[in-house]
């Protein structure tokens, strides 16, 4: 199961992943609503101005009116620009001269910088007066800012909620996977142990079986093959493939041991194997994992080899690194691309082990061709 740190990273990744599209959606929504708010406020201002002018046109006591409310600035002026009445004190009215110079535009809203203004005339007693209804833009901006903050808050909360729910869902499946993998590991270990033990006993007693040498060799090959599969089964049971016991390993000795293991497999296909050109070198690694790695590579070289082919295991030391190649390919045929995306079970295990042991590995397989090149760090002072 993933560690809490990995889940935190997953949560952060999902949060950022959802934040971008949701943020874009709310940004477009905000821009759309922003223009709608301005249009609505302009429309309300126009309707308020028209109603006020209609009311004043029928009002005989113009100067006795009390214009209440803080949303709009209401000014009543005579023809000479003298202020007759207002809902604000004179000292609180900013730029009074700007309002005096405004021309009448019935049915329209004027933008004069800090205000949206409606201006119209109406008859007052024996003359004509001018009514001005103004809305400070700062009030509109405050409403827009509230909308912006609401959009940002909604984006943030929605992204957190979706990321949190997605991580909860993943945790549920991880728990199920953990239980399944534990049971699978138990089964794999049990089968590996129970199958390997009787096969080893049979293999030790194979030379005493009354049968032709060819039949004995075939039986031994089959048993060794099954033993190899149980080793892979044991490796697969530990899904993390972590190196447990690091020891100094003689790579040439390990390869020679594998070559001897494989010699009985070679007779039926008329194959031979040559590992004489592997230099003596010692690496610090996990013996079981490194053994499984070389075993699977050598097994693939044998499996895909043509008849009468020599399996070549070669190596060289350079810059404190041991470079080993395993192939069933003639020298003139080693030009093809080394990137192979098609892994079998054995090569999948090899690829995972190489990652855990920090071994640089590349391989290529075809119908009858196989080549693998790996590079190991030589232990210091060895």
């Amino acid at each position: 199961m993933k560690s809490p740190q990995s889940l935190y990273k997953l949560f952060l990744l999902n949060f950022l992943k959802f934040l971008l599209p949701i943020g874009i959606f709310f940004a477009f929504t905000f821009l759309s609503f922003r223009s709608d708010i301005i249009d609505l406020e302009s429309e309300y201002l126009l309707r308020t101005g028209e109603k006020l002018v209609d009311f004043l046109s029928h009002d005989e006591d113009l100067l006795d009116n009390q214009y209440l409310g803080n949303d709009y600035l209401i000014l009543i002026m005579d023809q000479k620009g003298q202020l007759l009445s207002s809902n604000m004190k004179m000292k609180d009215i900013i730029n009074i001269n700007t309002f005096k110079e405004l021309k009448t535009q019935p049915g329209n809203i004027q933008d004069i910088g800090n205000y949206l203004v409606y201006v119209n005339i109406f008859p007052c007693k024996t003359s004509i007066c001018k009514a001005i209804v103004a809305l400070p833009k700062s009030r509109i901006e405050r409403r827009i800012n509230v909308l912006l903050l609401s959009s940002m808050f909604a984006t943030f909360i929605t992204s957190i909620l979706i990321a949190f729910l997605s991580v909860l869902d993943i945790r549920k499946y991880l728990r199920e996977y953990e239980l399944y993998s534990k049971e699978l590991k138990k089964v794999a270990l049990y089968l590996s142990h129970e199958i390997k033990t009787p096969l080893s006993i049979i293999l030790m007693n194979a030379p005493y079986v009354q049968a032709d040498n060819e039949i004995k060799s075939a039986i031994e090959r089959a048993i060794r093959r099954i033993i190899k599969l149980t080793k892979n089964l044991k490796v697969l049971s530990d899904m993390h493939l972590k190196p447990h016991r690091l020891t100094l390993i003689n790579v040439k000795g390990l390869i020679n041991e594998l070559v001897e293991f494989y010699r009985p497999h070679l007779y039926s296909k008329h194959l031979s194997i040559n590992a004489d050109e592997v230099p003596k070198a010692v690496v610090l690694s996990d013996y079981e994992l490194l053994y499984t790695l070389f075993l699977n590579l050598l097994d693939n070289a044998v499996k895909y080899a043509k008849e009468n082919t020599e399996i070549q295991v070669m190596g060289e030391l350079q810059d404190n690194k041991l470079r080993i190649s395993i192939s069933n390919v003639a020298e003139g045929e080693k030009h093809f691309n080394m990137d192979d995306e098609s892994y079998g079970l054995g090569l999948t295990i090899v690829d995972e082990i190489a990652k855990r042991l920090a071994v640089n590995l590349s391989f290529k397989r075809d119908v009858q061709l196989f080549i693998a090149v790996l590079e190991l760090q030589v232990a210091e002072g060895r």
Side-chain angles (χ1 to χ4, degrees):
M1 188 172 178
K2 289 189 176 181
S3 65
Q5 185 177 7
S6 299
L7 289 174
Y8 294 149
K9 290 180 180 178
L10 181 61
F11 172 79
L12 180 60
L13 179 63
N14 282 342
F15 170 72
L16 296 176
K17 182 171 65 176
F18 289 114
L19 182 65
L20 181 61
I22 294 175
I24 292 174
F25 169 76
F26 278 113
F28 279 114
T29 304
F30 166 74
L31 293 175
S32 176
F33 284 178
R34 183 180 188 277
S35 60
D36 289 340
I37 288 175
I38 296 175
D39 292 341
L40 286 172
E41 291 293 344
S42 299
E43 185 177 347
Y44 291 153
L45 176 60
L46 178 63
R47 298 291 176 264
T48 301
E50 290 175 344
K51 289 180 180 179
L52 179 64
V53 169
D54 182 64
F55 169 75
L56 293 174
S57 299
H58 300 84
D59 185 17
E60 296 180 356
D61 298 322
L62 175 66
L63 300 180
D64 292 332
N65 289 322
Q66 297 295 321
Y67 306 105
L68 303 177
N70 294 320
D71 287 341
Y72 299 109
L73 171 62
I74 300 174
L75 305 174
I76 309 299
M77 296 182 178
D78 61 16
Q79 286 182 315
K80 296 179 181 181
Q82 295 298 316
L83 184 63
L84 301 178
S85 182
S86 172
N87 65 337
M88 295 181 65
K89 294 180 180 180
M90 188 70 178
K91 62 179 182 178
D92 295 330
I93 301 174
I94 304 173
N95 298 329
I96 185 66
N97 293 328
T98 303
F99 292 111
K100 291 179 180 180
E101 297 172 358
L102 291 175
K103 296 181 179 180
T104 303
Q105 292 186 10
N108 291 314
I109 298 298
Q110 302 179 49
D111 188 339
I112 61 171
N114 294 328
Y115 291 89
L116 294 179
V117 183
Y118 172 80
V119 183
N120 202 354
I121 59 174
F122 64 94
C124 55
K125 296 184 179 180
T126 60
S127 66
I128 298 296
C129 294
K130 181 167 62 175
I132 299 173
V133 183
L135 174 65
K137 283 188 176 179
S138 59
R139 299 185 186 279
I140 300 177
E141 290 299 324
R142 281 199 292 270
R143 293 185 176 93
I144 291 175
N145 289 335
V146 170
L147 175 63
L148 177 60
L149 290 174
S150 300
S151 298
M152 294 174 60
F153 182 75
T155 300
F156 186 78
I157 294 300
T158 304
S159 300
I160 287 181
L161 183 61
I162 295 176
F164 179 72
L165 292 176
S166 64
V167 170
L168 282 182
D169 196 46
I170 291 172
R171 279 178 61 90
K172 181 186 71 174
Y173 287 108
L174 282 176
R175 290 192 188 96
E176 294 176 359
Y177 169 77
E178 183 183 33
L179 294 174
Y180 173 77
S181 62
K182 284 182 179 179
E183 293 301 318
L184 184 63
K185 181 177 180 178
K186 291 178 182 177
V187 173
L189 288 173
Y190 175 79
L191 290 177
S192 176
H193 175 74
E194 293 300 320
I195 293 174
K196 183 179 178 180
T197 302
L199 287 176
S200 299
I201 295 173
I202 295 173
L203 187 61
M204 286 189 295
N205 291 277
Y208 305 106
V209 175
Q210 300 296 322
D212 294 338
N213 290 333
E214 185 175 348
I215 295 175
K216 288 182 181 180
S217 298
I219 293 173
E220 289 182 5
R221 288 197 301 272
I223 293 174
R224 291 178 186 274
R225 178 74 174 174
I226 296 173
I227 290 175
K228 172 187 172 295
L229 292 174
T230 61
K231 282 182 174 290
N232 284 342
L233 191 61
K234 185 177 180 180
V235 171
L236 279 176
S237 68
D238 186 0
M239 301 304 291
H240 298 290
L241 297 174
K242 293 181 179 178
H244 295 292
R245 289 176 293 180
L246 298 180
T247 58
L248 294 173
I249 303 169
N250 182 346
V251 178
K252 183 176 178 64
L254 185 149
I255 291 175
N256 287 336
E257 180 183 346
L258 287 170
V259 169
E260 291 303 317
F261 172 82
Y262 254 100
R263 287 198 189 279
H265 295 250
L266 307 177
Y267 301 134
S268 61
K269 295 183 68 174
H270 306 288
L271 304 175
S272 61
I273 190 166
N274 180 13
D276 296 335
E277 297 187 33
V278 177
K280 292 183 179 180
V282 175
V283 299
L284 182 64
S285 188
D286 185 294
Y287 183 85
E288 287 294 331
L289 291 180
L290 194 63
Y291 183 94
T292 303
L293 185 149
F294 277 108
L295 180 65
N296 279 283
L297 291 177
L298 193 58
D299 182 64
N300 275 272
V302 172
K303 183 191 303 183
Y304 295 104
K306 302 176 184 178
E307 289 194 358
N308 302 312
T309 298
E310 181 181 66
I311 308 298
Q312 296 179 347
V313 184
M314 306 175 67
E316 62 176 349
L317 281 169
Q318 187 176 8
D319 298 330
N320 210 32
K321 292 185 181 296
L322 176 62
R323 182 182 174 88
I324 295 177
S325 66
I326 301 174
S327 72
N328 58 17
V329 187
E331 288 295 329
E333 298 176 319
K334 292 183 181 180
H335 62 278
F336 56 85
N337 182 12
M338 287 292 289
D339 295 328
D340 190 348
E341 299 297 334
S342 176
Y343 295 175
L345 175 61
L347 292 183
T348 300
I349 295 174
V350 165
D351 190 56
E352 289 299 320
I353 291 176
K355 292 176 183 177
R356 301 305 187 271
L357 298 181
V359 175
N360 292 327
L361 171 68
S362 59
F363 51 80
K364 177 70 181 182
R365 69 175 184 177
D366 207 334
V367 178
Q368 291 182 310
L369 304 175
F370 180 85
I371 180 172
V373 178
L374 59 159
E375 192 175 74
L376 301 94
Q377 180 71 41
V378 177
E380 294 183 7
R382 301 289 175 171

